[in-house]
Amino acid sequence: MKQIFSLAGWNWRMARRSYAILCGAFALEQLAVLLWQASRGAMLGMGLAACYEEGFQFQVFLLVFLLAGLLAGPAVNDRKRARCSYTWLTLPMSPAARLAAQVLTAAVLQLGVAALQLVLYMVYFFPVQAMDSARAMEKLGTAMPAQNLYEQVLLSDSMYWLLPRRPAQFALLVVTLPASALLLTCVRLHRGWRRGAAVVIGAVCGVCCLLLFQWELDFALFGAYDALVHNTLLAAVVLAALTVFSIWWALRAIRRAEPA
């Protein structure tokens, strides 16, 4: 376990600068988009949730979430160490431990992005509210009723995916984070056509996860019925099968020293 944490720390030290740049750019982009949305006349009185959705910020968050996972593999693709025959493959670790360290780094970076998004949503509520109030005074000559942050969280459809409200949704979030970290790690481990195949597998698994989240909501709203149960089981089986295959394929790539 100590070796796994050591390799994960190595990855973190190599990726921290690019990770900080990614998170900083994401924070600035989101603030600029939210303030621009709040300054539009059509968004007067709509609040943070509407500005967030109209600015497609959840889609941007998903992109940053995926990029953060891809940043977690610098030790795998460090050409300088590869040229001097000193790579992570020379470490006295089992293939499973090497894979676990890479997945751990990706999961931590992605969890950091998710936590950052929640913090930004709460922090940016205040400048958006101030912009909305200033627009109201300019257009209507009176202040808008004070908005409530809790209401803006509930009104946001995107926050539903980040803040679990039911045990089944929490379980899906717990499964999704390590699964995405594993699949993104596999993209970094493979080369050539194998990397393309890993991208396709990751895309299929991502669609399965989104469908499972949507069907979990349908279960909560409408209850269980045959077609919904059948589709949910099918998506879960496909996701589990592809995840197991990805683990086997990644371990095989490490044993064959393909990332070197």
Side-chain angles (χ1 to χ4, degrees):
M1 185 62 69
K2 182 178 179 180
Q3 293 176 326
I4 293 175
F5 286 124
S6 296
L7 181 54
W10 181 13
N11 275 317
W12 162 251
R13 286 190 293 273
M14 296 176 67
R16 59 187 177 183
R17 181 175 298 178
S18 54
Y19 183 66
I21 294 173
L22 177 66
C23 291
F26 173 55
L28 293 176
E29 178 274 338
Q30 188 158 112
L31 177 61
V33 170
L34 290 177
L35 291 179
W36 178 73
Q37 288 289 340
S39 67
R40 294 172 55 203
M43 301 298 293
L44 183 63
M46 298 298 289
L48 174 64
C51 293
Y52 187 87
E53 301 297 336
E54 289 292 325
F56 301 100
Q57 288 307 291
F58 188 68
Q59 290 79 356
V60 175
F61 159 74
L62 290 179
L63 177 61
V64 174
F65 184 80
L66 295 177
L67 290 176
L70 291 175
L71 289 176
V76 178
N77 302 95
D78 190 1
R79 302 302 180 200
K80 295 180 181 179
R81 288 184 172 85
R83 281 197 293 269
C84 64
S85 299
Y86 173 58
T87 72
W88 73 310
L89 294 171
T90 64
L91 298 175
M93 300 172 62
S94 66
R98 293 189 182 98
L99 178 62
Q102 299 299 122
V103 173
L104 176 61
T105 309
V108 169
L109 296 184
Q110 289 183 301
L111 187 61
V113 170
L116 175 64
Q117 176 59 93
L118 293 174
V119 171
L120 291 179
Y121 193 87
M122 292 184 289
V123 171
Y124 290 164
F125 166 77
F126 301 101
V128 169
Q129 183 181 18
M131 177 68 74
D132 204 23
S133 298
R135 292 286 295 172
M137 288 295 296
E138 178 184 350
K139 295 292 184 180
L140 306 177
T142 184
M144 297 289 292
Q147 298 179 8
N148 185 289
L149 176 58
Y150 179 71
E151 293 174 350
Q152 292 301 312
V153 172
L154 293 181
L155 289 173
S156 175
D157 294 333
S158 300
M159 288 299 105
Y160 164 81
W161 304 100
L162 296 177
L163 294 174
R165 304 177 187 181
R166 292 176 296 277
Q169 186 189 4
F170 178 78
L172 284 174
L173 285 173
V174 171
V175 170
T176 299
L177 178 64
S180 63
L182 169 66
L183 295 168
L184 290 170
T185 298
C186 291
V187 172
R188 294 297 298 265
L189 285 174
H190 298 298
R191 290 188 180 184
W193 69 267
R194 297 180 182 86
R195 177 168 293 182
V199 171
V200 172
I201 291 174
V204 173
C205 290
V207 171
C208 289
C209 287
L210 291 176
L211 291 176
L212 287 174
F213 274 106
Q214 183 58 53
W215 291 335
E216 185 275 333
L217 178 60
D218 292 341
F219 270 118
L221 294 177
F222 310 114
Y225 52 89
D226 292 341
L228 185 59
V229 173
H230 177 268
N231 292 336
T232 300
L233 292 176
L234 179 60
V237 169
V238 171
L239 177 62
L242 290 178
T243 301
V244 172
F245 172 76
S246 296
I247 293 174
W248 171 82
W249 201 20
L251 292 175
R252 182 175 180 271
I254 294 172
R255 292 191 186 98
R256 292 164 62 94
E258 291 177 4

